[in-house]
Amino acid sequence: MKKKSRKVKLSNQQGSVLNVTLMIFIIVVMSLLMTSRIYADLFAFHKDEVKLNEQRQIQIYLKRYFRETMDTNLLLSDDFTVNNTRIHYTVDDMWSYYLIDCDISDNQNRYRFEMHISTKDLSVIEFKYLS
């Protein structure tokens, strides 16, 4: 009897292992890149949040200062510095309300806002940011 020769086909096992390893490597690298991007965005968001909180505290302080000064004294334009923040405001008497234009600047930022305070009950009628 003749023996049939069997041809053994070798499958490319090394190629599939290389493909799987490459895919795992790509997934790990992409995960690390995405995580680092998320942390960078969170850091930038936190920095902006701190800046906005400082601006809000200054605005609350100024509103209270303006109202208390109007209640006890005459409110006049002024310029002063607090914690490396320069605050300059001008006051215009419009009979029924005071128009206060405030310019706030520090080392990195500068912004302006306009506020209308009623002369009758000392309430803030309007508040808006200027460019």
Side-chain angles (χ1 to χ4, degrees):
M1 271 188 120
K2 287 188 179 177
K3 285 188 177 180
K4 290 185 177 180
S5 62
R6 291 186 179 180
K7 292 186 178 178
V8 179
K9 292 187 176 181
L10 295 175
S11 62
N12 194 357
Q13 297 275 339
Q14 292 175 347
S16 6
V17 170
L18 184 61
N19 287 341
V20 169
T21 306
L22 184 60
M23 290 303 293
I24 290 173
F25 178 74
I26 289 173
I27 291 171
V28 168
V29 168
M30 292 300 292
S31 298
L32 289 173
L33 289 174
M34 288 172 51
T35 304
S36 65
R37 177 64 185 182
I38 289 171
Y39 280 118
D41 289 345
L42 286 175
F43 179 73
F45 175 72
H46 177 69
K47 187 177 175 182
D48 290 341
E49 183 181 15
V50 168
K51 182 176 77 172
L52 288 174
N53 282 337
E54 289 173 359
Q55 290 177 357
R56 187 173 46 215
Q57 287 175 350
I58 289 173
Q59 292 165 10
I60 291 171
Y61 167 75
L62 287 175
K63 285 179 189 177
R64 191 176 85 215
Y65 171 75
F66 293 150
R67 291 177 67 185
E68 287 176 358
T69 304
M70 288 171 59
D71 192 28
T72 59
N73 209 350
L74 184 61
L75 182 62
L76 300 173
S77 301
D78 198 7
D79 185 19
F80 58 92
T81 303
V82 177
N83 295 337
N84 293 329
T85 303
R86 182 181 169 272
I87 301 171
H88 174 75
Y89 64 91
T90 55
V91 179
D92 293 324
D93 188 0
M94 305 300 224
W95 293 98
S96 63
Y97 65 92
Y98 283 106
L99 171 63
I100 303 170
D101 184 20
C102 193
D103 183 23
I104 300 173
S105 60
D106 60 7
N107 295 335
Q108 295 102 8
N109 304 315
R110 180 173 185 233
Y111 64 98
R112 294 178 54 206
F113 62 85
E114 183 178 279
M115 184 183 326
H116 299 182
I117 298 179
S118 172
T119 55
K120 295 176 186 171
D121 59 355
L122 303 178
S123 64
V124 177
I125 301 170
E126 184 180 344
F127 182 91
K128 64 181 175 181
Y129 288 99
L130 304 173
S131 57

